[in-house]
Amino acid sequence: GENVEQHPSTLSVQEGDSAVIKCTYSDSASNYFPWYKQELGKRPQLIIDIRSNVGEKKDQRIAVTLNKTAKHFSLHITETQPEDSAVYFCAVITGANNLFFGTGTRLTVIP
Amino acid sequence: GAVVSQHPSRVICKSGTSVKIECRSLDFQATTMFWYRQFPKQSLMLMATSNEGSKATYEQGVEKDKFLINHASLTLSTLTVTSAHPEDSSFYICSARDGMSHPSGNTIYFGEGSWLTVV
């Protein structure tokens, strides 16, 4: 299947600072790149997504950038708050229409 | 928004028995359904992808005879863990793709997940 790498695996930031999580993928035909937030034992919650024909998308404090040439995309959270603490997963829909997840990042926002 | 219902949410079974998990799309037609397994503190690992009316496509390392997937209709897919063993204990979660959603039919909805414990 698709190889989706995600970094860092853990990230701690002070409240109010920004957090950046990066993912790379291998299938150049991949066309959809969602980001999910997941609490333990619960379903992933979609927080933002970007499609292959767009380079950047922003929704309030959350933004995602995509570089198709380099095959990487990033999640940016500004003005972080304690409630942003969670595990975040990037995901990729490949050319074969399968959805693969990155390895996850545990974000901790320190009050 | 669209809803995907997954049952049961928790199940405990004896080693050697089989367990069926259902995944239903309640208000849309799911052209594709995905099944994932997630161990504690790990990512969601894709087990298989199923399209309505056709055989599921399994990821490498996933035994198709052990994890039986049926996608009999556009609103229902089932995962049956056969001859379950303690190492099969995990969080299993399905997702369904709304093939008619705008703009490119890639909207995906997740079920609530199922905790399987094999004793």
Side-chain angles (χ1 to χ4, degrees):
Chain A
E2 169 74 285
N3 184 24
V4 183
E5 295 189 0
Q6 183 172 344
H7 300 281
S9 57
T10 60
L11 178 61
S12 293
V13 299
Q14 290 292 135
E15 181 177 359
D17 287 350
S18 296
V20 180
I21 303 170
K22 298 181 179 180
C23 283
T24 61
Y25 60 98
S26 57
D27 184 356
S28 58
S30 297
N31 52 59
Y32 176 64
F33 309 89
W35 284 89
Y36 294 90
K37 180 180 181 181
Q38 188 185 29
E39 297 179 19
L40 182 64
K42 296 190 176 180
R43 76 180 96 193
Q45 298 288 337
L46 178 69
I47 57 172
I48 196 167
D49 58 8
I50 193 168
R51 303 184 191 276
S52 58
N53 58 345
V54 177
E56 184 174 358
K57 182 177 177 180
K58 189 173 182 180
D59 182 4
Q60 299 182 358
R61 297 187 296 109
I62 297 174
V64 56
T65 58
L66 171 65
N67 183 326
K68 282 212 71 179
T69 302
K71 290 186 281 189
H72 68 69
F73 57 112
S74 300
L75 176 71
H76 304 252
I77 305 175
T78 59
E79 301 173 32
T80 53
Q81 301 167 2
E83 49 266 37
D84 293 330
S85 296
V87 178
Y88 292 82
F89 291 98
C90 64
V92 172
I93 283 194
T94 65
N97 287 325
N98 292 327
L99 178 66
F100 289 95
F101 283 82
T103 46
T105 297
R106 179 171 297 280
L107 173 65
T108 303
V109 180
I110 304 166
Chain B
V3 175
V4 173
S5 176
Q6 185 174 341
H7 294 281
S9 58
R10 291 183 179 273
V11 58
I12 301 173
C13 72
K14 290 185 178 180
S15 185
T17 62
S18 296
V19 174
K20 180 184 285 188
I21 301 170
E22 290 189 350
C23 182
R24 294 180 183 272
S25 58
L26 299 185
D27 53 2
F28 68 96
Q29 293 185 332
T31 52
T32 305
M33 285 189 172
F34 305 95
W35 285 96
Y36 297 87
R37 178 168 54 184
Q38 186 176 33
F39 293 109
K41 298 185 178 181
Q42 294 189 22
S43 186
L44 292 87
M45 301 303 298
L46 179 64
M47 300 174 67
T49 302
S50 71
N51 295 295
E52 184 266 339
S54 61
K55 290 184 178 180
T57 302
Y58 289 80
E59 293 301 305
Q60 191 173 9
V62 178
E63 300 175 58
K64 62 180 180 180
D65 294 330
K66 180 171 181 62
F67 298 100
L68 301 179
I69 291 172
N70 183 278
H71 193 162
S73 74
L74 281 170
T75 59
L76 174 65
S77 178
T78 60
L79 166 67
T80 302
V81 183
T82 62
S83 187
H85 291 285
E87 55 265 32
D88 297 326
S89 299
S90 185
F91 185 63
Y92 293 86
I93 192 165
C94 69
S95 65
R97 179 175 178 174
D98 184 352
M100 301 302 292
S101 64
H102 279 293
S104 60
N106 277 335
T107 305
I108 292 171
Y109 303 94
F110 282 85
E112 303 98 326
S114 300
W115 283 101
L116 170 63
T117 302
V118 184
V119 298

